[in-house]
Amino acid sequence: MQPSTPADAVDSPAAMRSDLVRPPAPPISRALAPPRHLRATLEAAARLEPAVEMIVVDGGSRDETLAVARRFGIKALSAPRGRGSQLAIGCQAARGDILWFVHADSIPPPDAVRQMVQVCEQPGRAGGYFRVRFDGSSRAARVLTHVYAFLQWFGLRYGDSAIFVRRDAYLAAGGFRPLPL
């Protein structure tokens, strides 16, 4: 499961080349990923070069999410339940020029930062996403990987795709409204 060439903005399905590995779909809502998935995501993100600012925004879970983030030395914030408010609060706290939205149960490729910078430096590109690949050999993992690829042919990208955007473009678009997505 090696990531390949750079992620690209969303011009064509052929441009989607880099994988974001996700564990098999857990038996709970992906929006409420258990802390064990968050640990794996934070460990992978901590190895990225160059280092990235990490912020974990919890939407009211009753588990150890915030404690896990703090043990990694990461800014851990609370938000009202709902992905829209979590994303908006995280963006307000972030300082970087590129905003990257990674689910707590996703593993970014080792060269993700280089890929994002490369895409965002291209004229006319505001950001992009990573192709999702569910980890594991189960039929469900294979089917979900293909379903996500199929949906992207129709221009559908979800938060699972670790969407990234230049801060100036995010602000120009009005940011995330704090809706319960």
Side-chain angles (χ1 to χ4, degrees), residues 28-97:
I28 60 169
S29 165
R30 286 185 303 241
L32 299 173
R36 66 184 158 84
H37 289 306
L38 176 61
R39 281 185 200 95
T41 298
L42 296 178
E43 287 168 357
R47 291 188 296 269
L48 294 173
E49 294 288 335
V52 295
E53 174 189 29
M54 290 189 274
I55 300 169
V56 170
V57 183
D58 183 69
S61 68
R62 295 187 181 129
D63 59 21
E64 300 173 15
T65 296
L66 295 175
V68 168
R70 289 183 183 118
R71 280 195 293 270
F72 275 84
I74 294 169
K75 186 182 298 187
L77 306 173
S78 295
R81 193 171 203 71
R83 195 163 293 154
S85 35
Q86 287 175 264
L87 293 170
I89 286 172
C91 288
Q92 289 170 358
R95 297 181 313 247
D97 293 330

Side-chain angles (χ1 to χ4, degrees), residues 13-170:
M16 300 178 282
R17 296 183 296 262
S18 186
D19 292 334
L20 174 77
V21 178
R22 287 180 55 97
I28 60 169
S29 165
R30 286 185 303 241
L32 299 173
R36 66 184 158 84
H37 289 306
L38 176 61
R39 281 185 200 95
T41 298
L42 296 178
E43 287 168 357
R47 291 188 296 269
L48 294 173
E49 294 288 335
V52 295
E53 174 189 29
M54 290 189 274
I55 300 169
V56 170
V57 183
D58 183 69
S61 68
R62 295 187 181 129
D63 59 21
E64 300 173 15
T65 296
L66 295 175
V68 168
R70 289 183 183 118
R71 280 195 293 270
F72 275 84
I74 294 169
K75 186 182 298 187
L77 306 173
S78 295
R81 193 171 203 71
R83 195 163 293 154
S85 35
Q86 287 175 264
L87 293 170
I89 286 172
C91 288
Q92 289 170 358
R95 297 181 313 247
D97 293 330
I98 298 174
L99 303 172
W100 187 23
F101 307 97
V102 180
H103 282 203
D105 59 352
S106 298
I107 306 297
D111 63 341
V113 176
R114 181 194 57 77
Q115 293 182 48
M116 289 185 291
V117 170
Q118 184 178 39
V119 168
C120 289
E121 287 178 341
Q122 295 176 26
R125 300 291 176 122
Y129 64 98
F130 291 84
R131 187 175 67 200
V132 174
R133 180 175 41 173
F134 285 82
D135 198 15
S137 59
S138 71
R139 182 169 192 234
R142 290 190 312 272
V143 168
L144 284 170
T145 296
H146 290 296
V147 166
Y148 271 65
F150 178 75
L151 293 173
Q152 290 178 346
W153 278 89
F154 297 100
L156 300 173
R157 279 117 187 129
Y158 299 97
D160 295 349
S161 300
I163 295 168
F164 58 93
V165 63
R166 285 191 338 259
R167 175 185 289 283
D168 62 331
Y170 170 83

